[in-house]
Amino acid sequence: MPAHAVLSRIRGSIPAMVTPFADGAVDEEALRAHVEWQIENGSSGLVPVGTTGESPTLSHDEHKRVVEITVAQAKGRVPVIAGAGSNSTTEAIDFARHAERAGADALLVVTPYYNKPTQEGLYQHFKAIDAAVGIPILIYNIPGRSVIDMSVETMARLYELPNIAGVKDATASMVRVSHQRAVLGPDFVQLSGEDSTALGFNAHGGHGCISVTANVAPRLCADFQQASLAGDAATALKLHDRLFPLHQALFVETNPTPAKFALSVLGRMSDEVRLPLVPASPAAREAVRDAMRAAGLINT
């Protein structure tokens, strides 16, 4: 599919997919079912093997298998934006090339964590990945996890390259959305990486959200994004208020632990996570259940 056609579809509610586990292994059946459930309930794209997919604890083979399953199950119905990040440029290129071969529509590449590269290092990292593939790349800027913050000026330099197409912005700064729009223009795809600020993000010119909450409440998140992007502020605010307790509860402990617990409550998959993450505490479980009741996802 031409890059411009892919980019026109990268809008709305796009879940940052959890990776289901069973007895220590990737639960491929549950993963396929999760893809189907997301598409049936209005999600407009899928992001496998990001942070929410526990990519740091997946083996390389598992990482690639999750991408392959997601692409195969989606069957082109929605774009698949495959996580391809690493703090090793060589490793990120390997993931990126594999995702392209597997049929992913685009890539999500996180700023290199732990290494703390300079802005020039960030530029060269993304430039090398850009040169290795021929599909759109979204920059994942998440200073809270990677420690570094890509500047708007560095994004502008990268946007001159053939494949750099947008950003998943997890800075939670509304000013940043407008700054990026002013410098890079309205065609630079801006997706929120923070569910709680998605309402304001879109109001500042954003195009949607790569969402944790959409794992658990795909229809509500899709309806919220549809209303927000259509300019129906009253409906969007009403849905935001309904979802807000869930946005908060899914981060009372480290993501994706609460989301996996919520999905286990819904009978979608096990709540199993991999060390160093541990299952949700009793207090977190109570908070998640309360938020699910508030959103109308469960009755008891």
Side-chain angles (χ1 to χ4, degrees):
M1 181 180 296
H4 64 84
V6 171
L7 294 175
S8 68
R9 298 174 69 201
I10 298 178
R11 299 287 189 276
S13 180
I14 304 172
M17 301 274 286
V18 300
T19 302
F21 298 131
D23 299 322
V26 173
D27 186 342
E28 296 190 0
E29 182 178 351
L31 175 58
R32 291 188 183 93
H34 196 50
V35 169
E36 282 299 316
W37 190 56
Q38 289 295 327
I39 295 173
E40 289 168 1
N41 282 278
S43 294
S44 53
L46 303 169
V47 176
V49 289
T51 308
T52 305
E54 295 178 76
S55 57
T57 54
L58 295 178
S59 71
H60 287 197
D61 287 344
E62 288 174 326
H63 179 118
K64 293 173 181 179
R65 181 64 179 152
V66 169
V67 171
E68 290 166 0
I69 290 170
T70 304
V71 170
Q73 194 67 37
K75 299 173 185 169
R77 289 172 289 173
V78 298
V80 174
I81 307 162
S86 173
N87 61 343
S88 161
T89 304
T90 300
E91 191 171 282
I93 288 171
D94 178 57
F95 283 144
R97 284 175 168 162
H98 169 266
E100 183 176 27
R101 290 194 303 271
D105 299 284
L107 304 169
L108 180 66
V109 179
V110 71
T111 50
Y113 40 88
Y114 193 75
N115 310 42
K116 297 178 69 174
T118 63
Q119 293 298 310
E120 182 61 25
L122 287 174
Y123 176 79
Q124 294 297 336
H125 175 81
F126 279 87
K127 181 181 179 184
I129 300 167
D130 180 275
V133 296
I135 57 176
I137 297 170
L138 302 181
I139 300 158
Y140 183 12
N141 193 32
I142 181 167
R145 281 189 182 262
S146 66
V147 182
I148 51 169
D149 183 2
M150 183 182 287
S151 70
V152 179
E153 292 72 24
T154 300
M155 284 188 199
R157 289 180 68 198
L158 288 170
Y159 194 35
E160 296 174 358
L161 300 175
N163 299 309
I164 303 296
V167 64
K168 175 186 177 184
D169 187 308
T171 65
S173 168
M174 298 301 94
V175 173
R176 190 62 175 269
V177 188
S178 289
H179 189 188
Q180 286 162 180
R181 183 176 170 85
V183 173
L184 293 113
D187 293 334
F188 185 72
V189 178
Q190 294 203 64
L191 301 172
S192 172
E194 298 280 349
D195 280 291
S196 293
T197 61
L199 182 68
F201 192 97
N202 283 357
H204 277 257
H207 301 98
C209 182
I210 295 180
S211 168
V212 173
T213 304
N215 278 284
V216 179
R219 175 54 63 186
L220 285 175
C221 288
D223 290 349
F224 160 75
Q225 283 291 335
Q226 183 176 9
S228 176
L229 294 172
D232 185 351
T235 299
L237 181 58
K238 183 178 180 180
L239 289 166
H240 170 78
D241 288 346
R242 183 174 168 185
L243 284 162
F244 186 73
L246 192 57
H247 295 333
Q248 297 292 291
L250 293 182
F251 286 88
V252 293
E253 290 180 351
T254 305
N255 175 50
T257 298
K260 280 195 161 178
F261 171 69
L263 286 162
S264 75
V265 171
L266 295 174
R268 306 301 312 179
M269 63 183 66
S270 163
D271 67 347
E272 186 176 330
V273 292
R274 284 185 174 172
L275 288 170
L277 300 183
V278 294
S281 68
R285 291 173 182 236
E286 182 178 357
V288 170
R289 283 186 179 275
D290 286 346
M292 292 175 74
R293 280 190 287 270
L297 300 180
I298 58 172
N299 296 317
T300 59

